Amino acid sequence: MSLTFAALGALVVGCSGTSEAKEYEVPKSLCGVSVDPKVLGQLLPPGKDIDLQEKNPVPSRKRCQVNVDDKIALMASQERWEDTDSLVDVADAHPKLDAAKPTGSGVYLSSGTGAVGRVTNCASPDHAEHTLYAVIEVYAKDVDDAAAVKKLITAYTGALEGGKGCR
């Protein structure tokens, strides 16, 4: 009988906690680059407010910072690296990609907290002898979803390849 009360007590305690939810609308793009909000939503934390900020620290980098309740949750980047640089070189420059492993295609390195993808067929006269890479970094606490990161980097990279900067 005491086992039943213990189990019931655990159930009540488990249900009495406040449920955290996303009170914001997950965006359909990351600073102009279309993404699936369902996939992006898997990598964002619960919260009330979301804010996207485009940052261009240098001409060869364009970043889209996603903040939830004034805390960085995710960063999506478009970065031009020299043609001699590799996926590993790009990953090594980003702390959230420490555990990234190559995917079967060899075009991506991915983990539960970040990924890098090589954007193919994207030459730019302004950046001769440079390759465009897409980078996703997940900063949200307790978010680690390798499948969602892989889906997002694949879609983000594909959207960049088909975008106006690659025509």
Side-chain angles (χ1 to χ4, degrees):
M1 178 116 148
S2 61
L3 257 167
T4 305
F5 284 119
L8 186 58
L11 182 63
V12 169
V13 169
C15 293
S16 65
T18 59
S19 67
E20 294 186 27
K22 292 180 179 91
E23 296 178 30
Y24 55 85
E25 184 177 338
V26 176
K28 296 176 183 164
S29 72
L30 290 169
C31 300
V33 179
S34 294
V35 294
D36 182 347
K38 290 177 188 169
V39 175
L40 179 58
Q42 292 176 296
L43 299 171
L44 298 176
K48 293 183 179 189
D49 299 307
I50 190 165
D51 178 48
L52 277 69
Q53 299 174 354
E54 187 173 317
K55 300 177 179 232
N56 301 308
V58 294
S60 60
R61 290 201 172 107
K62 181 178 178 182
R63 293 184 173 156
C64 184
Q65 182 174 313
V66 181
N67 297 321
V68 174
D69 294 341
D70 297 322
K71 294 180 187 168
I72 184 170
L74 186 136
M75 180 84 71
S77 304
Q78 304 169 39
E79 304 180 5
R80 294 225 178 246
W81 286 67
E82 292 186 15
D83 286 342
T84 55
D85 292 319
S86 69
L87 283 168
V88 173
D89 295 325
V90 178
D92 285 347
H94 298 278
K96 293 297 182 178
L97 279 76
D98 286 346
K101 304 261 188 276
T103 62
S105 67
V107 179
Y108 304 100
L109 289 176
S110 183
S111 73
T113 58
V116 59
R118 183 181 303 110
V119 181
T120 57
N121 302 319
C122 188
S124 168
D126 297 335
H127 300 283
E129 299 180 19
H130 286 79
T131 300
L132 182 63
Y133 287 91
V135 180
I136 299 293
E137 295 176 275
V138 180
Y139 289 91
K141 185 179 176 186
D142 299 327
V143 176
D144 188 329
D145 188 335
V149 169
K150 187 176 177 182
K151 283 181 189 176
L152 184 59
I153 192 65
T154 302
Y156 187 73
T157 303
L160 290 176
E161 187 173 299
K164 64 181 177 186
C166 290
R167 293 184 189 162

